[in-house]
Amino acid sequence: MGQDGPLARLGLGCCVLVLLLLLGGSGSPGTRPPARGPRAEGQGPAGERAPRGRAGYEGYEAVKKHLGAVGALSKQYWQYLACKVWQEGCEEEKEEQREPGPSPGWSLPLVGQDYLEILSAWYCSFGKCCETGDCRIVNNITGLEADLSEQLHGQHLAKEVVVRAVQEFLQSPQPEKALVLSFHGWSGTGKNFVARMVASHLYRDGLRSDCVRVFISLLHFPHHKYLESYKAQLQRQLSETLQLCRQSLFIFDEAEKLHSSLLDAMRPFMAPYGNEGQADQQRAIFLFLSNLGGNTINEVALDFWRAGRAREEISMELLEQRLRLELQEPAENSYAHSHLLRENLIDFLVPFLPLEFHHVKLCARDAFLARGLPFSEAALDEVARTMVFVPKEEKLFSAQGCKAVPQRINYFLP
């Protein structure tokens, strides 16, 4: 813990002991203070504290005995927590526990183990105290759904599919295989944004979590002549993360640039689980982010617009079928030459639709709000007009999506 370790431990110890005394002193199931009526028998005027008669004496003795038991219980709580968090004095604690004899603290009807779990979870919320990082898994599906609904614009299909797929996978007692989602669409349509959202709502540390690994094709696997080395390294990293965490998230950006042999190297981690216990021990979610299929998705969106139909009428079945056909064509892309599609290891091909003018304005609004800057409707219009829109005739879709919007607002600041 560094040079500040003793002071930090002392401060934490004081806080925990005060909390324990408050918890212990508040009573417990099966013990209650003497009943108080408007004027209990033998009680003097309001504000008079001295116990009178036998009833007052017995109440005093009960409180004294209870406080003594609470003190013993608080000491054992502290010893347990120190052992669990800092691994200090564990052997001595175990030796003391082996000695026979009743323990007044633990004999109380208080559920001591529940208090200890609450305290250890509270401590873990400030730092990594567990070996695997699992104590910082939050799986906040409600927050994920709310934030995607508020901040992801123009992507009704991606919102629905991602939330439903992740929720069903995490709630399944024994999933058959890892969850594999492949995001497709033009740059700037929200693929990376959704991947970050998933990480931040499943793990307290988001992308910085030890249970989350991000791979960028041209950064981590730039040279094809080192493919064998990359394959071994990738498999080792996947295995280590799965062993470290009971729930892992793997994100592959620029997935269309991954060599097919690298995708095949991941096949054992995506295939159906070999035994019943593996699903509970090594749950994994794979997210592939790719620009492949962007033109196909845009053509469908343009056809709906020309036909006067709302983009919200575009169905998942229509786009996923078109995407699957395109990815299976014998072209120079890694998906067509890998086992992912042929063995149906990808659960959903998630389409990201091209963004229109009013979607870009919403992105500009979010960028102003994120920086705490004032804005007007005219300013949002001006930011959106600086973007390039295609096709040439209709100028309907932003060629860059919302990718450059945060930088564009700098030109409209006073």
Side-chain angles (χ1 to χ4, degrees):
M1 287 194 177
Q3 296 179 354
D4 296 331
L7 292 177
R9 294 184 187 182
L10 180 59
L12 177 61
C14 294
C15 294
V16 171
L17 285 176
V18 171
L19 177 61
L20 289 169
L21 287 173
L22 291 175
L23 289 173
S26 62
S28 61
T31 60
R32 62 180 64 183
R36 294 184 180 179
R39 183 71 62 85
E41 183 178 354
Q43 185 177 359
E48 188 174 19
R49 302 179 185 178
R52 293 185 178 181
R54 183 174 180 81
Y57 176 77
E58 290 177 351
Y60 169 76
E61 288 297 324
V63 171
K64 180 179 179 182
K65 182 179 180 181
H66 184 68
L67 290 177
V70 167
L73 180 63
S74 301
K75 180 180 179 182
Q76 294 209 27
Y77 280 161
W78 173 251
Q79 291 175 344
Y80 181 95
L81 184 64
C83 177
K84 187 171 184 179
V85 174
W86 298 301
Q87 290 81 42
E88 293 180 357
C90 297
E91 295 302 324
E92 293 82 353
E93 177 74 12
K94 292 178 182 178
E95 291 297 331
E96 292 178 3
Q97 290 178 357
R98 293 194 188 102
E99 297 179 2
S103 174
W106 295 107
S107 64
L108 281 174
L110 292 170
V111 186
Q113 189 66 25
D114 291 345
Y115 282 178
L116 292 172
E117 293 303 325
I118 293 172
L119 286 171
S120 60
W122 169 76
Y123 178 81
C124 288
S125 67
F126 293 96
K128 297 181 180 179
C129 66
C130 53
E131 295 179 357
T132 65
D134 289 345
C135 62
R136 300 181 68 77
I137 295 176
V138 292
N139 289 345
N140 183 11
I141 301 300
T142 302
L144 174 63
E145 183 175 14
D147 283 352
L148 288 181
S149 297
E150 182 180 350
Q151 302 178 40
L152 181 64
H153 308 300
Q155 306 298 348
H156 67 285
L157 294 176
K159 291 177 186 177
E160 178 184 357
V161 173
V162 171
V163 172
R164 176 164 52 88
V166 173
Q167 183 175 27
E168 291 179 355
F169 177 75
L170 295 179
Q171 290 180 348
S172 174
Q174 288 188 345
E176 297 180 356
K177 58 182 291 294
L179 176 63
V180 184
L181 305 178
S182 188
F183 297 171
H184 296 270
W186 268 7
S187 177
T189 52
K191 301 186 297 295
N192 277 282
F193 178 78
V194 172
R196 291 196 303 270
M197 278 282 189
V198 171
S200 64
H201 285 86
L202 297 190
Y203 303 89
R204 193 185 303 274
D205 301 312
L207 293 176
R208 298 187 303 274
S209 171
D210 292 335
C211 300
V212 179
R213 299 299 300 265
V214 179
F215 300 91
I216 303 175
S217 298
L218 295 182
L219 176 63
H220 293 92
F221 318 108
H223 305 294
H224 285 182
K225 63 181 179 179
Y226 299 124
L227 277 176
E228 291 302 317
S229 175
Y230 293 154
K231 287 169 57 178
Q233 179 183 0
L234 177 59
Q235 289 180 328
R236 183 179 68 253
Q237 291 175 336
L238 295 181
S239 297
E240 290 176 352
T241 306
L242 287 169
Q243 291 174 5
L244 179 69
C245 306
R246 71 176 186 273
Q247 175 186 305
S248 304
L249 174 63
F250 303 105
I251 302 173
F252 292 85
D253 198 4
E254 300 178 344
E256 73 276 4
K257 299 180 177 66
L258 283 171
H259 195 274
S260 58
S261 62
L262 292 175
L263 292 173
D264 289 338
M266 291 182 267
R267 175 179 170 274
F269 303 96
M270 305 180 198
Y273 294 126
N275 57 72
E276 295 182 358
Q278 188 177 359
D280 294 327
Q281 298 171 3
Q282 297 183 346
R283 292 194 182 209
I285 299 176
F286 288 83
L287 302 182
F288 293 97
L289 284 53
S290 173
N291 292 336
L292 287 175
N295 291 334
T296 297
I297 296 171
N298 294 356
E299 289 173 5
V300 172
L302 184 58
D303 291 341
F304 269 69
W305 182 83
R306 288 172 175 169
R309 302 175 63 183
R311 62 192 281 137
E312 286 73 21
E313 297 181 37
I314 301 176
S315 67
M316 180 68 182
E317 291 75 17
L318 173 62
L319 276 181
E320 190 174 25
Q321 182 181 13
R322 297 277 188 94
L323 281 174
R324 198 169 291 273
L325 290 175
E326 179 178 343
L327 296 181
Q328 288 176 341
E329 292 179 358
E332 291 298 325
N333 71 72
S334 53
Y335 280 85
H337 300 285
S338 70
H339 293 275
L340 300 188
L341 291 173
R342 284 178 289 177
E343 298 183 11
N344 294 317
L345 297 180
I346 297 179
D347 297 293
F348 294 97
L349 298 174
V350 184
F352 282 72
L353 300 171
L355 300 182
E356 301 176 11
F357 187 86
H358 66 283
H359 299 135
V360 177
K361 286 182 59 178
L362 292 173
C363 293
R365 180 205 64 185
D366 293 346
F368 277 107
L369 290 174
R371 297 173 60 177
L373 300 173
F375 62 91
S376 63
E377 193 68 21
L380 300 183
D381 285 330
E382 288 297 323
V383 172
R385 290 194 186 98
T386 63
M387 308 295 287
V388 177
F389 288 84
V390 294
K392 186 175 181 180
E393 298 79 13
E394 291 88 351
K395 293 187 177 181
L396 181 62
F397 304 133
S398 172
Q400 294 177 287
C402 284
K403 201 164 192 176
V405 167
Q407 288 74 34
R408 296 296 175 96
I409 68 174
N410 294 326
Y411 295 99
F412 301 92
L413 299 179

